[in-house]
Amino acid sequence: MKTFFEPKSIAVIGVSRDIQKPGRVILRNILRNFRGKVYPVNPQVDKIEGLTCYPSILDIPDKVDLAVISIKAELVPETLEQCGKKKITSVVVISGGFKEVGRKDLEDQLREIVKKYGIRMIGPNCLGVFDNYTGVDTSFLPTFRMHPPSKGGISLISQSGAVGSTTVDWAAEQGLGISKMISYGNAADIDESDLIEYLSKDERTEVILVYIEGIDRGRRFMDAAKYAACQKPVIIVKAGSSESGAKAVASHTGSLAGSYQIYSAAFKQSGVLVAQSLEELLDFGKVLNMLHPARGGRVAVITCGGGFGVMATDAVEREGLQMSKLSEETMNTMKAQFPSYVVVHNPVDLIGDTDAERYRVALEAVSKDPDVDVILLILLFQVPRLDPEVVEIVLAAKQSGKPIVGVAAGSEFTKVHVTRLEEGGIPFYPTPERGVKAVRALVQYGNTLTKCPGGLPKYISKLVEK
Amino acid sequence: MKTFFEPKSIAVIGVSRDIQKPGRVILRNILRNFRGKVYPVNPQVDKIEGLTCYPSILDIPDKVDLAVISIKAELVPETLEQCGKKKITSVVVISGGFKEVGRKDLEDQLREIVKKYGIRMIGPNCLGVFDNYTGVDTSFLPTFRMHPPSKGGISLISQSGAVGSTTVDWAAEQGLGISKMISYGNAADIDESDLIEYLSKDERTEVILVYIEGIDRGRRFMDAAKYAACQKPVIIVKAGSSESGAKAVASHTGSLAGSYQIYSAAFKQSGVLVAQSLEELLDFGKVLNMLHPARGGRVAVITCGGGFGVMATDAVEREGLQMSKLSEETMNTMKAQFPSYVVVHNPVDLIGDTDAERYRVALEAVSKDPDVDVILLILLFQVPRLDPEVVEIVLAAKQSGKPIVGVAAGSEFTKVHVTRLEEGGIPFYPTPERGVKAVRALVQYGNTLTKCPGGLPKYISKLVEK
């Protein structure tokens, strides 16, 4: 499997003279960041993008690690045979026109060929592989439409190519660091379970996000998910949960959406977190990539706007978490240093005339309280006396070891500070509701880990060191 | 009440030499955009911001329409007396230090004085009034922290000042057009019901957003809300719905949060829409400000990413709406013009190789279908052949009269197009789930209107003309 992400050489089969055709876009995308050897294949062309173009894969004089096929469906079997003869072990078939349009026969042919030669295949009918570290990029999306994602620990597996690429683009825009995106399409060979298993062992993946519509091999999925969830967080969006949604799945990927209740039970049992939308998928991915899981569900809220404190409290209860009962000591420490109108019980309300110093005192007191597992920190940068130094204060409070999840809504002035806070390792959300859901994800994953055999996974030690 | 928003002259009482103090910030904020006369009051200063400063309100030689008081709580009663003597009928009391800190006695004094002189009062303990058309701005938030909102039809009433200002800042950043924001604080005189009633008749308000923690005069609220909901959409966030949240309300505004079930029933009966978060409040405000309400709950989904279609379908069912059964004619029209692999039943999937033309055909066919009440339009600008002309196509489809709600997620390239679409009157959301919730708001408000006496409210005719 590793060859899909770290090949030394790639052949692109079906490179057109037309710069808009998928094969050509793929060649260009690969040439942009991939540093290994690249071989375009097209019998009608001699040279393309300054590279020698080969009539067939068999004419390439060197070893080829990865082949990417983007030609008419009818021609794929023969080409795949040639890949086998060339001893290529990893092939991505971009081409559509198989099971999804009723050509199960053609897809079965591919299956037989990969079996015969011991090829591992991603696809057909997919965008294939995007690796942000090695520059492998078989997706045929023009880069001007996408925000180049920064390198990071989030990897995404998507049954749908459009969901995969849109999510990566959107994640990039939010500043999330991406490792890999794999769109696996019809899954004639490699499926979601293979990919989850691979990513669970991949050093450059810290969080696994998954979009699926249906799972064929249930037992295999359970095993892979269970193993993976003990290594790093696995978060899933399962589309097709409604009756009409399940019908829509049938005409989209031809999968059986199945009973959502069975899926939910399976996800719960395997320790996988479920997100209700792509927004939640990224919200949860962000928090779990930035913070270590919570040791329990007791939440302390610190705010400078009482209304935000109330909404956060409602959300804590709605999400099945608890508002921490702050100790007398914690409250007295704050009381001693604050004006009398500051509210020192949970939710702690520093009031709209707060300065950064009140946040320092509150964060220090609350993070020492043994009855607090997570801090939800609401910072309203609109209030008049809250100076930018609050950013340093919050980042220093990270040292206490208690996870801090931030909430701030607003325009440019707010965003400038939120960006600095996120770069320093504190995830932020625009509303108390989304912030509290992220906290719930931290707590749930903390629970998952208590059921795992062996010690804490490697990624957590990394997070604690950060 | 009108004098609060359209005064000819304003006196600011408690203007400090210190440019950070509230009274001074208020003076500056008013001078920025207000075109009437402005009188600063401070017995210790002669001139401030180039204006003559008067020792007391009684020393001002001219008529004063609106007085804004920002001085120590203890001094407010006497100053309010002077306002009465000066025959000022509208007063905003910014100062805190009353009921919310246990000084109900002081607040009762204010109540008696306004009664004696026939003054209407907003506050105490509030940010007061922001009017984006007349330039009245009594909020003491430094403008560099906020995005100046464009003029528009959305007005916000907030019991919490921080929620009010943060929401306006966030709305401005999202490009929503704002009319007014009123933070009414302790509501010693004017409360949410008075404000809802006023805004329901205000020509410059097309949608009313409300943040409340508790309502004292339930019957009065029901009457005001019922009347208002038949004039224009009223959307409410009610904080303090949980047990712990209700306790937090007590220490925030001192209101009784009350039983959420009773509130829910009251909102439903009065035709008010309930939002679960500030994000939903703005999402609903946007859709109801841009589109006329739906005539029913039958939704057609058009997408170029199958996965998004599936998620939209799930959401439609979850929100209690129905997926339209497209007529044979609608489907045949599309079938005749599309490649065979395009899915022409609902959700219509134009596939990732779509161009703008396919969107034109689908929008035309679907909007003619009598079994479609609302169109959910998913546009993924990441797909390679979707040219910018799709924007004109979608805007032209608006003419059909069927409400179109858009979904698009992504970075800069997506945002450029979404901005143009929103400027043209099509609201967009980043996920199918949020888009479908917005559709539900349109449908719910359509239902509300069928129960209203008299014809369609004025604001709808305006929307239809747009």
Side-chain angles (χ1 to χ4, degrees), chain A residues 141 145 147 169 173 211 240-244 252 279 306-307 314 317 381-384 386 411-412 415 434, chain B residues 145 147 169 173 211 240-244 252 279 306-307 310 314 317 381-384 386 411-412 415 434:
Chain A
L141 299 168
R145 292 174 180 267
H147 188 95
D169 183 32
E173 191 260 334
Y211 170 86
S241 60
S242 66
E243 207 181 305
S244 336
H252 181 219
E279 189 168 75
D314 285 341
E317 204 162 300
F381 287 99
Q382 290 84 3
V383 306
L386 193 59
S411 58
E412 297 81 353
K415 285 186 172 175
R434 282 172 65 184
Chain B
R145 293 175 180 265
H147 187 95
D169 182 33
E173 193 260 335
Y211 170 87
S241 59
S242 66
E243 206 181 306
S244 337
H252 181 219
E279 189 167 76
V310 175
D314 285 340
E317 205 163 301
F381 288 97
Q382 290 84 3
V383 306
L386 192 59
S411 57
E412 298 81 353
K415 286 187 172 173
R434 281 172 65 183

Side-chain angles (χ1 to χ4, degrees), chain A residues 271-297:
Chain A
V272 154
L273 294 173
V274 175
Q276 297 300 337
S277 66
L278 296 180
E279 189 168 75
E280 260 188 45
L281 189 71
L282 294 183
D283 279 0
F284 292 178
K286 177 159 87 171
V287 76
L288 285 159
N289 195 213
M290 288 169 86
L291 300 178
H292 62 75
R295 282 175 185 82

Side-chain angles (χ1 to χ4, degrees), chain B residues 397-454:
Chain B
K398 250 197 95 179
Q399 303 309 320
S400 79
K402 293 250 163 96
I404 302 173
V405 172
V407 171
S411 57
E412 298 81 353
F413 188 79
T414 297
K415 286 187 172 173
V416 166
H417 296 99
V418 165
T419 303
R420 285 176 59 208
L421 285 158
E422 292 205 321
E423 283 168 1
I426 312 271
F428 267 77
Y429 299 91
T431 63
E433 290 77 14
R434 281 172 65 183
V436 171
K437 280 190 181 177
V439 169
R440 199 243 297 149
L442 274 189
V443 175
Q444 264 186 285
Y445 190 58
N447 275 337
T448 295
L449 287 183
T450 61
K451 292 167 205 151
C452 289

Side-chain angles (χ1 to χ4, degrees), chain B residues 89-107:
Chain B
T89 54
S90 301
V91 179
V92 177
V93 181
I94 304 294
S95 322
F98 297 85
K99 188 179 73 178
E100 82 282 7
V101 294
R103 294 296 306 272
K104 196 176 167 299
D105 59 314
L106 215 51
E107 195 159 314

Side-chain angles (χ1 to χ4, degrees), chain A residues 198-341:
Chain A
Y198 177 76
L199 292 180
S200 71
K201 294 170 186 166
D202 173 41
E203 294 270 343
R204 283 175 179 151
T205 295
E206 291 160 359
V207 175
I208 304 173
L209 308 184
V210 188
Y211 170 86
I212 45 166
E213 300 185 352
I215 292 168
D216 282 340
R217 301 183 295 160
R219 170 53 47 200
R220 164 89 175 107
F221 173 84
M222 286 294 288
D223 291 343
K226 222 168 186 166
Y227 175 81
C230 284
Q231 310 307 313
K232 49 195 81 170
V234 181
I235 312 162
I236 290 196
V237 168
K238 163 69 179 75
S241 60
S242 66
E243 207 181 305
S244 336
K247 276 185 210 155
V249 161
S251 30
H252 181 219
T253 47
S255 297
L256 284 171
S259 144
Y260 189 63
Q261 275 171 313
I262 293 175
Y263 275 105
S264 289
F267 294 149
K268 200 172 170 186
Q269 208 193 317
S270 58
V272 154
L273 294 173
V274 175
Q276 297 300 337
S277 66
L278 296 180
E279 189 168 75
E280 260 188 45
L281 189 71
L282 294 183
D283 279 0
F284 292 178
K286 177 159 87 171
V287 76
L288 285 159
N289 195 213
M290 288 169 86
L291 300 178
H292 62 75
R295 282 175 185 82
R298 297 166 305 173
V299 184
V301 176
I302 302 175
T303 182
C304 59
F308 280 84
V310 175
M311 289 186 281
T313 305
D314 285 341
V316 163
E317 204 162 300
R318 202 183 306 132
E319 297 298 322
L321 306 169
Q322 303 87 46
M323 289 294 281
S324 300
K325 202 174 147 20
L326 298 179
S327 72
E328 287 300 320
E329 196 191 328
T330 305
M331 293 197 284
N332 286 336
T333 307
M334 290 191 278
K335 217 180 266 176
Q337 297 176 73
F338 290 158
S340 63
Y341 52 83

Side-chain angles (χ1 to χ4, degrees), chain B residues 223-300:
Chain B
D223 291 343
K226 222 169 186 165
Y227 175 81
C230 283
Q231 309 309 312
K232 49 195 80 169
V234 181
I235 312 161
I236 289 195
V237 167
K238 164 68 179 76
S241 59
S242 66
E243 206 181 306
S244 337
K247 275 185 211 156
V249 161
S251 31
H252 181 219
T253 47
S255 298
L256 284 170
S259 144
Y260 189 62
Q261 275 170 315
I262 294 175
Y263 275 104
S264 289
F267 294 149
K268 200 172 171 187
Q269 208 193 316
S270 58
V272 154
L273 295 172
V274 176
Q276 297 300 337
S277 66
L278 296 180
E279 189 167 76
E280 261 189 44
L281 189 72
L282 294 182
D283 280 359
F284 293 178
K286 175 159 89 170
V287 77
L288 285 159
N289 194 212
M290 289 169 87
L291 301 177
H292 62 76
R295 282 175 186 82
R298 297 165 305 174
V299 184

